[in-house]
Amino acid sequence: MPKTQPTIRDVAAAAGVAVSTVSKYINGTQRFSGSVEAKLKAAIDALGYRSNPLARSMITGKTRTIGLAILDIRNPHFTNIVKGANRVALQHDYTLLLVDTEESQERERPLIEALAQRVDGMIISSRMPDDAVQWLLELSKPVVLFGRSQQFPIASVGTDGHLAASMLARHLLNLGHRRIAYLGFAKSRWNDERRRGIADCLQKAGLQLDVHDAEAPSAIAGERACSAILLGSSQPDAVICYNDLIALGFMKEARELGFRLPQDLSVVGFDNVSYAEYASPALTTVDLQSEKMGELAMTKLIAALNGSHDDEYAMLEPRLVVRESTMRRPDTSQPAGVTEMTPKTAGGRRRTGGQGA
Amino acid sequence: MPKTQPTIRDVAAAAGVAVSTVSKYINGTQRFSGSVEAKLKAAIDALGYRSNPLARSMITGKTRTIGLAILDIRNPHFTNIVKGANRVALQHDYTLLLVDTEESQERERPLIEALAQRVDGMIISSRMPDDAVQWLLELSKPVVLFGRSQQFPIASVGTDGHLAASMLARHLLNLGHRRIAYLGFAKSRWNDERRRGIADCLQKAGLQLDVHDAEAPSAIAGERACSAILLGSSQPDAVICYNDLIALGFMKEARELGFRLPQDLSVVGFDNVSYAEYASPALTTVDLQSEKMGELAMTKLIAALNGSHDDEYAMLEPRLVVRESTMRRPDTSQPAGVTEMTPKTAGGRRRTGGQGA
DNA sequence: CTGAAAGCGCTAACAA
DNA sequence: TTGTTAGCGCTTTCAG
């Protein structure tokens, strides 16, 4: 059973030609006389020869493999990225070497360094601080990053987080919401951008943003953070979550706390993961085009592999997806930019002094 | 910048020893005198030497890479499998080469054949017919399959589908449901097992199963199949979906058709994907332990790589997870195994003649 | 404990 | 158009 695979040499012998001839034939590097070509073809499938990619790689220095390092394959955002990247890779005859770093800072670096050795280039999603990008460059392999680097020129892709956040905030404002909370995830590279996008918007309307932080970008973290926000003193009438997963968890817990959604509270997230649509109420969110991000990253990387220089940040456009988790404040009538005035508490603004002690 | 990586030869020169000495040092194949060891260590990190895995693989014939072929990374069931497999692989210092075959039969085989060349072993999830398993064996690489093969002795893992299905059916029966439909997915290897599990159960209660088929294992397919089932002549009071995704889509559409869940209709699925919990009503389902399946498959594969023979089918135990999408028929009172008698239609059984013409 | 030498399977000049 | 030859970077006998 463990019959050793035939080598290029066996084929050459069987066909009565030189090894280099076989090599050139396999790689289509050259044209051949009909007789030789016929003999080669015959020999090859008589022996069932398959070229050994390792040996080839060793010489060419190319593996036709792309490393993809992500934080958690279970997060649909990353799943979509993988899907998109995979599709483009397959089209170009590349294979994906996947590394799930499991949101662990320590594992990340050694894993990526090991990965670098086995691939032609890498696509990386990471929570590493911006100055750590340095050593990525030192790997001297083409790399595409998710999220812009402030200091270093490195190919990267992302979606305009400030804009996405503004869209969400403005949507809520238009619906008459005035006490808006942001349940962020500070560890993420995207968090600041999103928070600022919201805060800027609110500021123009003379409002302040109530900021909280989730301990993970997951549904369970959303559940956990819920009561402190909803039953605390700020009493938001809308909350923007760092992502859809957090939002989903938040909504579940909110319902269990007795809030009616969306009547008592509007909730939104970022990403537009597919299950947001099947939640109830279906989640209003902003589509970050995760899958396209994956495609674009892979396209950029392959271009780099083909010699094109690329230090740019490619920014995709977000799109607001309004569903059922947001609705107009029952007690307001003016569209937006109005003097805010909520009935429950006299004297507007926020910081009402809380009833929950 | 493109300074060529130092080789083992450079290290040997710098340390003033032979290449083979360096090799042995790196692989820890031997013990060394303190002086040599010190020189080696110094030379290595002076040069920043990193051993080239390709060259190593070419000799040893081992790549420390496992191929994982799945049908669709976006299906949380597979995502979980990847997660589990990845974790075990990392523990054993293996890396995952991922291939998403996108549910395509044609692509599958060439992709897997190419994959086989670059890895030490493979874990495969496929919809290929049982006789196609033959060529997998011929790849003469260790393989672990998801789902049992009837004809061939091949290592495989899965969850007891017949039992899982019975659990669901019995649960529904216990709740007083009598007109039960199965929205299956015939292309899957697991479908028959599940259908039979349900049908066997119903038969014991003197009931027949109303069988339908989804065109894909996805939420959208569940939506699409919904109206034909619910507004057709059979009028089920409970439907069992092939998986949670289909169930989620089905529930969404059912609500849009005006059905109240779970009052008018109980819905269940298979898998226990995480978002089933965040749907509303939260989905009753049966946990197939997807992540553990991934772990187990990888564990088996690594064992095989270490020389242990393994032709067995390892079966995990399913667990029923009751949530909100199932409830007792309002109009029945006896627990189970009773003479069924639904008020809407005289004369029980099913096949009531339909009012939807 | 250390070193010299022979390749792994293949590609890439260079010759013929 | 075809063949010869020299390695890619490493491991692995086999001698010292």
Side-chain angles (χ1 to χ4, degrees):
Chain A
M1 176 161 288
K3 54 168 187 288
T4 175
Q5 290 264 107
T7 82
I8 199 175
R9 215 129 31 204
D10 300 323
V11 176
V17 299
V19 289
S20 59
T21 308
V22 183
S23 170
K24 286 167 199 153
Y25 174 74
I26 301 166
N27 298 310
T29 323
Q30 226 177 77
R31 293 196 62 76
F32 293 89
S33 63
S35 74
V36 174
E37 182 161 341
K39 281 194 293 183
L40 283 172
K41 193 172 300 195
I44 284 177
D45 52 43
L47 296 177
Y49 169 77
R50 325 226 68 210
S51 127
N52 178 335
L54 251 57
R56 194 223 286 310
S57 294
M58 213 174 56
I59 299 206
T60 61
K62 268 82 189 64
T63 60
R64 297 227 68 106
T65 300
I66 305 288
L68 182 49
I70 56 173
L71 294 159
D72 177 15
I73 185 64
R74 259 193 306 215
N75 184 327
H77 171 64
F78 295 117
T79 308
N80 285 336
I81 286 180
V82 173
K83 190 79 179 183
N86 180 254
R87 178 170 313 125
V88 175
L90 245 45
Q91 276 163 15
H92 295 261
D93 199 30
Y94 278 95
T95 311
L96 282 191
L97 209 41
L98 182 76
V99 170
D100 182 330
T101 56
E102 310 218 331
E103 297 265 358
S104 147
Q105 299 275 0
E106 311 98 67
R107 304 180 112 191
E108 185 172 270
R109 185 158 170 174
L111 281 175
I112 291 179
E113 279 175 347
L115 185 62
Q117 297 230 66
R118 326 181 98 269
V119 300
D120 293 347
M122 299 188 292
I123 296 178
I124 293 177
S125 148
S126 163
R127 307 217 186 285
M128 66 182 130
D130 205 61
D131 22 314
V133 170
Q134 179 72 52
W135 67 262
L136 271 187
L137 267 359
E138 284 166 5
L139 260 23
S140 58
K141 281 265 165 88
V143 170
V144 176
L145 210 61
F146 288 116
R148 188 209 300 268
S149 163
Q150 302 300 328
Q151 313 169 48
F152 302 96
I154 182 169
S156 49
V157 341
T159 303
D160 188 339
H162 192 278
L163 175 55
S166 304
M167 287 159 59
L168 248 18
R170 200 162 299 288
H171 170 62
L172 259 13
L173 253 18
N174 286 346
L175 290 177
H177 294 286
R178 288 299 173 268
R179 289 201 306 275
I180 297 177
Y182 174 55
L183 173 51
F185 174 55
K187 283 187 196 129
S188 161
R189 303 174 71 85
W190 310 102
N191 189 62
D192 280 359
E193 198 173 76
R194 292 181 191 175
R195 184 181 41 65
R196 266 201 305 273
I198 303 165
D200 290 355
C201 246
L202 294 208
Q203 197 171 12
K204 282 186 205 143
L207 300 172
Q208 265 202 335
L209 180 62
D210 183 32
V211 178
H212 300 261
D213 198 57
E215 57 193 14
S218 66
I220 192 80
E223 287 186 60
R224 214 165 266 151
C226 184
S227 53
I229 298 176
L230 255 25
L231 305 179
S233 57
S234 67
Q235 304 226 70
D237 54 17
V239 8
I240 302 179
C241 298
Y242 169 75
N243 70 11
D244 288 350
L245 257 32
I246 294 179
L248 254 21
F250 190 93
M251 288 204 299
K252 183 188 177 205
E253 180 75 4
R255 265 198 313 267
E256 271 162 28
L257 294 175
F259 288 80
R260 292 166 308 155
L261 304 183
Q263 298 89 334
D264 297 337
L265 182 74
S266 286
V267 177
V268 301
F270 287 79
D271 278 353
N272 192 26
V273 306
S274 24
Y275 311 108
E277 186 179 349
Y278 297 98
S280 158
L283 186 66
T284 292
T285 183
V286 50
D287 189 339
L288 264 23
Q289 304 201 69
S290 324
E291 189 165 341
K292 187 153 282 174
M293 275 178 65
E295 288 177 7
L296 190 54
M298 186 56 79
T299 304
K300 273 190 162 237
L301 186 57
I302 290 176
L305 254 21
N306 293 333
S308 90
H309 278 270
D310 184 352
D311 292 348
E312 314 224 309
Y313 177 60
M315 204 159 63
L316 292 173
E317 282 219 339
R319 191 172 75 86
L320 184 68
V321 180
V322 177
R323 291 198 273 244
E324 303 158 1
S325 68
T326 46
M327 72 172 279
R328 171 165 297 283
R329 272 297 70 204
D331 37 49
T332 51
S333 46
Q334 311 91 324
V338 296
T339 319
E340 53 99 40
M341 180 73 187
T342 59
K344 283 188 190 165
T345 62
R349 279 303 101 103
R350 51 184 288 282
R351 164 147 290 200
T352 346
Q355 56 170 217
Chain B
M1 179 165 288
K3 54 168 188 289
T4 174
Q5 290 265 106
T7 83
I8 199 175
R9 215 125 35 198
D10 300 323
V11 176
V17 299
V19 290
S20 57
T21 307
V22 183
S23 170
K24 285 165 198 151
Y25 174 72
I26 301 166
N27 298 309
T29 322
Q30 224 176 79
R31 293 196 61 78
F32 292 89
S33 64
S35 74
V36 174
E37 181 162 342
K39 280 194 293 183
L40 249 18
K41 191 171 303 194
I44 284 178
D45 51 43
L47 297 177
Y49 170 77
R50 326 226 68 207
S51 130
N52 177 334
L54 250 57
R56 196 224 285 313
S57 294
M58 210 173 55
I59 299 208
T60 61
K62 268 81 187 67
T63 61
R64 298 226 70 105
T65 300
I66 306 287
L68 182 49
I70 55 173
L71 294 160
D72 175 16
I73 185 65
R74 259 193 305 216
N75 184 327
H77 171 65
F78 294 116
T79 308
N80 284 337
I81 286 180
V82 173
K83 189 80 179 183
N86 179 253
R87 178 170 312 126
V88 175
L90 244 46
Q91 275 164 16
H92 294 261
D93 199 29
Y94 278 94
T95 311
L96 283 192
L97 210 40
L98 181 76
V99 170
D100 182 329
T101 56
E102 309 219 330
E103 297 265 359
S104 148
Q105 300 274 1
E106 312 100 66
R107 304 180 111 192
E108 186 173 271
R109 184 154 169 177
L111 281 174
I112 291 178
E113 278 176 346
L115 186 62
Q117 297 231 64
R118 327 181 96 270
V119 300
D120 293 347
M122 297 188 295
I123 297 177
I124 293 177
S125 149
S126 164
R127 308 217 185 284
M128 65 184 132
D130 205 61
D131 21 315
V133 170
Q134 179 73 53
W135 69 261
L136 270 186
L137 267 359
E138 283 164 6
L139 260 23
S140 59
K141 283 265 164 85
V143 170
V144 176
L145 210 60
F146 289 116
R148 187 208 303 265
S149 163
Q150 303 299 329
Q151 313 170 47
F152 301 96
I154 182 170
S156 48
V157 341
T159 304
D160 188 337
H162 193 278
L163 175 55
S166 304
M167 287 160 59
L168 248 18
R170 199 162 299 289
H171 170 60
L172 259 13
L173 253 17
N174 284 346
L175 290 176
H177 294 286
R178 287 300 172 268
R179 290 201 305 275
I180 297 178
Y182 174 56
L183 173 51
F185 174 55
K187 285 189 193 127
S188 161
R189 303 174 71 86
W190 309 102
N191 189 62
D192 280 359
E193 198 173 77
R194 292 181 190 175
R195 186 182 39 66
R196 265 201 307 273
I198 303 165
D200 289 356
C201 246
L202 294 208
Q203 196 171 14
K204 282 186 205 143
L207 300 172
Q208 266 204 332
L209 180 61
D210 183 32
V211 178
H212 301 260
D213 197 56
E215 58 193 11
S218 65
I220 192 81
E223 286 185 61
R224 214 165 265 151
C226 184
S227 53
I229 297 175
L230 255 25
L231 305 179
S233 58
S234 66
Q235 305 226 68
D237 55 18
V239 9
I240 302 179
C241 298
Y242 169 76
N243 70 11
D244 289 351
L245 258 31
I246 294 179
L248 254 20
F250 190 94
M251 288 205 298
K252 183 189 177 205
E253 180 74 3
R255 265 199 313 266
E256 271 162 26
L257 294 176
F259 288 80
R260 291 166 309 154
L261 304 184
Q263 297 89 334
D264 297 336
L265 182 74
S266 287
V267 177
V268 300
F270 287 79
D271 278 353
N272 192 27
V273 306
S274 22
Y275 311 107
E277 187 180 346
Y278 297 99
S280 160
L283 185 67
T284 292
T285 183
V286 51
D287 190 340
L288 263 24
Q289 303 200 69
S290 325
E291 189 165 341
K292 189 153 280 174
M293 275 178 65
E295 287 177 9
L296 190 53
M298 184 58 76
T299 303
K300 273 190 163 237
L301 186 57
I302 290 176
L305 256 18
N306 293 335
S308 89
H309 279 269
D310 184 350
D311 293 346
E312 311 221 314
Y313 177 61
M315 203 159 62
L316 293 172
E317 282 220 338
R319 192 171 74 88
L320 184 67
V321 180
V322 177
R323 291 199 273 244
E324 303 158 2
S325 69
T326 46
M327 71 172 279
R328 170 166 298 285
R329 270 299 69 203
D331 36 51
T332 51
S333 48
Q334 311 91 324
V338 296
T339 319
E340 52 100 39
M341 180 70 186
T342 58
K344 282 188 192 167
T345 62
R349 278 307 98 103
R350 53 182 289 283
R351 163 146 292 203
T352 345
Q355 55 170 214

